[in-house]
Amino acid sequence: MAKIAYILLCHKDPDAIIAQAEQLTAAGDCMAIHFDARASREAYARIQGALQANSNVTFATKRIKCGWGEWSLVQATLNAVQAALEAFPRATHFYMLSGDCMAIKTAEYAHQFLNDNDRDFVESHDFFASNWIKTGMKEDRLIYRHFFNERTQSRRFYTSYDVQKKLGLTREVPADIQIMIGSQWWCLRRHTVEMIFEFLAQRPDVIRFFSTTWIPDETFFQTLVRHLVPREEIDNRTLTFLMFSDYGMPVTFYNDHYDMLLGQDFLFARKISPEAHELKDRLGQLYSADGVDFHISDEGRNLHSFLTARGRVGRRHKQRFWEAGNTLGPDRDVFLIVCKKWHVAKRLVDQIKSETDIPCVEYLFNEQDTALPDLGGIETTLLKRSRHRRALVRMLFDSFETDRLVLCIDPSDIEIIQDFCADQVKTHVLEVECEYSDDYLIGHARRVGLAGQDSPTETVARLVPTLHNAMEYESELIRGTALDRHARLRETSDRAENEDAIVQFLNVSQEQAQAIMRLDYLFAD
């Protein structure tokens, strides 16, 4: 049976480190801790004192002052791994962790998973051929020597870098090594770790090379594992679930993410908020539990976006600069039918097309196969339509040779509604309010990827209040955006009220409104 030696690099919060060590060793696993030498001696002494009676905990024999992007992080890791190799001869796997990581599976599940998958788990992509590095230095990380920390010694860092570039002081990558890059959160088998130390003892040139590269914790282990281990024995992934924001910052998990995290095909998650006390308590108790069944649905990224985008990470109301560069014109009218139940909006559109001469386009920003004329390629993908939406709609006006156009919009696309309302074009909004049963909302969550098809019904059911609240919030935003050009069509209203709403929305006659609303099954599911 697998026995895991956790390699914990940490620099703060002694109480959290103590709790993490006790939780992860309670099921028989072990841990080697490197506590940053920049932290106080008192904090380190507190951790050692609290864990000294725990035979499954050891400490790196030498503490390193660590800095982001420096070799010091790799050296600290090597020191902790060396301590674990010596202290825990029965450890079969070595798992890299930080103080912000917590288990999202039981030890029982983790051990069985590693038993069933005899391989090393490390994300490693070709440094030069892959697109893993999005911005900043790439080749220059390797071919120049970096002696200073870019964050704390910025002037020295860039002066040294510029001098080397000016003088052409480049160096070669070790000829027999293919540089790889990936996440630093790996899980390696004991044999692999032992091979790495044997290799380093024979190749001090490799240590010299990596010790002056920039951000070597993303390349060192990733490169050596690929160099020493057959490809078929490597799973190119991390077992730690982590996400990044649009700004490249790690996403933080909170109390309401518990069910989402357990449904991911990972053993740990990073980063757990220090303030998420309930989440920490529940995950801490989970690791040593027995007989827990996990339903892996892997819908985490979609579900996380849904749970957080409406409040915790802020809401955006302002136009982006590229959206303000063109206008649809003040002499045109765009009519937005905003409805969560797409089939209801499509029925309404069919009625409008049959009773008026206003061109109608269904969910052009949501459905790839929406019927559209040839617009020179801008209409071919949802990404292009959304990115160039004003240009797209202007071309639709021209193609239909009209100054009036009906579009169907999902209520979640508030940015699109705001964009049209901010334009010179006269924007009219008809909000179609439908009734939503719990079964409908659960099905909706599965259809749009907020829950996987294999997610337990009771787990998905917990989303129902959140979905109701989200829809109410969307409605508030729509009303606040459309203001005086906002009308409502309600499933609960009588036909006369809804006919008045159509008159207000389209500025058509009462007779035309009556004909449009003649459909008895408009709201039927």
Side-chain angles (χ1 to χ4, degrees), residues 75-181:
Q75 187 61 63
T77 304
L78 290 171
N79 291 354
V81 172
Q82 184 67 59
L85 281 170
E86 295 173 0
F88 311 120
R90 298 182 63 187
T92 60
H93 294 77
F94 295 76
Y95 196 121
M96 180 76 174
L97 288 178
S98 77
D100 296 320
C101 299
M102 289 201 73
I104 55 174
K105 297 292 185 293
T106 60
E108 180 181 64
Y109 181 100
H111 295 157
Q112 191 60 54
F113 178 89
L114 294 176
N115 283 340
D116 295 341
N117 296 274
D118 183 21
R119 63 193 68 174
D120 296 303
F121 293 86
V122 57
E123 187 181 40
S124 53
H125 308 278
D126 185 280
F127 185 92
F128 297 100
S130 71
N131 193 35
W132 202 84
I133 299 175
K134 303 298 183 184
T135 60
M137 289 184 183
K138 190 169 185 177
E139 183 183 22
D140 289 2
R141 288 192 188 189
L142 307 178
I143 64 173
Y144 296 109
R145 297 165 178 82
H146 302 280
F147 303 101
F148 306 102
N149 188 294
E150 190 265 348
R151 291 189 174 182
T152 59
Q153 299 170 296
S154 178
R155 180 175 296 180
R156 292 181 178 180
F157 179 92
Y158 286 107
T159 298
S160 171
Y161 172 56
D162 292 340
V163 168
Q164 292 180 73
K165 289 185 70 174
K166 185 175 181 179
L167 299 177
L169 300 177
T170 60
R171 60 175 175 176
E172 296 293 328
V173 174
D176 61 328
I177 290 179
Q178 179 185 8
I179 302 297
M180 310 297 288
I181 190 167

Side-chain angles (χ1 to χ4, degrees), residues 1 21 26 42 60 65 90 154 278 297 336 424 460 465 495:
M1 180 63 73
E42 292 77 16
K65 291 183 178 180
R90 298 182 63 187
S154 178
E278 178 186 344
S297 53
L336 305 181
Q424 294 180 11
V460 184
R495 178 172 293 183

Side-chain angles (χ1 to χ4, degrees), residues 219-366:
T219 56
F220 181 77
F221 289 98
Q222 296 79 354
T223 298
L224 295 191
V225 173
R226 280 296 184 115
H227 184 70
L228 298 170
V229 178
R231 183 181 296 269
E232 61 271 16
E233 295 183 26
I234 301 173
D235 199 329
N236 188 2
R237 57 168 289 200
T238 173
L239 293 179
T240 298
F241 180 61
L242 65 162
M243 297 168 54
F244 291 91
S245 71
D246 293 341
Y247 303 99
M249 299 300 291
V251 165
T252 300
F253 299 113
Y254 295 86
N255 291 334
D256 56 338
H257 293 140
Y258 179 80
D259 290 320
M260 179 202 79
L261 292 175
L262 265 58
Q264 306 316 303
D265 189 19
F266 296 87
L267 303 184
F268 279 76
R270 181 181 189 274
K271 295 174 123 182
I272 307 299
S273 169
E275 301 170 1
H277 301 298
E278 178 186 344
L279 178 61
K280 284 188 167 187
D281 289 343
R282 296 179 74 182
L283 292 177
Q285 296 170 17
L286 174 72
Y287 190 71
S288 57
D290 294 324
V292 179
D293 291 326
F294 294 94
H295 300 277
I296 307 301
S297 53
D298 240 10
E299 76 282 1
R301 285 169 171 80
N302 287 337
L303 183 53
H304 178 270
S305 296
F306 174 78
L307 290 173
T308 61
R310 288 168 172 79
R312 185 179 296 118
V313 298
R315 304 181 175 101
R316 184 177 71 83
H317 300 279
K318 187 178 179 181
Q319 290 175 275
R320 292 187 169 105
F321 69 89
W322 62 81
E323 296 171 334
N326 49 54
T327 179
L328 301 176
D331 298 325
R332 287 170 166 167
D333 292 85
V334 62
F335 302 92
L336 305 181
I337 296 177
V338 185
C339 183
K340 182 66 72 176
K341 291 186 177 181
W342 294 3
H343 61 279
V344 174
K346 291 178 181 181
R347 290 171 187 162
L348 181 60
V349 158
D350 286 341
Q351 290 294 100
I352 293 173
K353 285 191 290 187
S354 66
E355 300 299 334
T356 74
D357 60 355
I358 307 174
C360 301
V361 180
E362 294 175 0
Y363 289 86
L364 77 165
F365 298 114
N366 305 98

Side-chain angles (χ1 to χ4, degrees), residues 329-335 358 397 403-406 425-428 485:
D331 298 325
R332 287 170 166 167
D333 292 85
V334 62
F335 302 92
I358 307 174
F397 274 117
D403 289 329
R404 309 179 79 200
L405 182 64
V406 172
V425 70
K426 292 188 285 290
T427 302
H428 312 264
R485 288 181 179 158

Side-chain angles (χ1 to χ4, degrees), residues 448-479:
V448 301
L450 299 178
Q453 292 302 316
D454 296 327
S455 297
T457 300
E458 60 272 16
T459 298
V460 184
R462 297 190 189 116
L463 290 173
V464 168
T466 306
L467 288 165
H468 275 298
N469 292 336
M471 291 179 181
E472 291 176 6
Y473 178 68
E474 289 170 351
S475 181
E476 290 176 10
L477 286 182
I478 292 166
R479 292 196 301 273

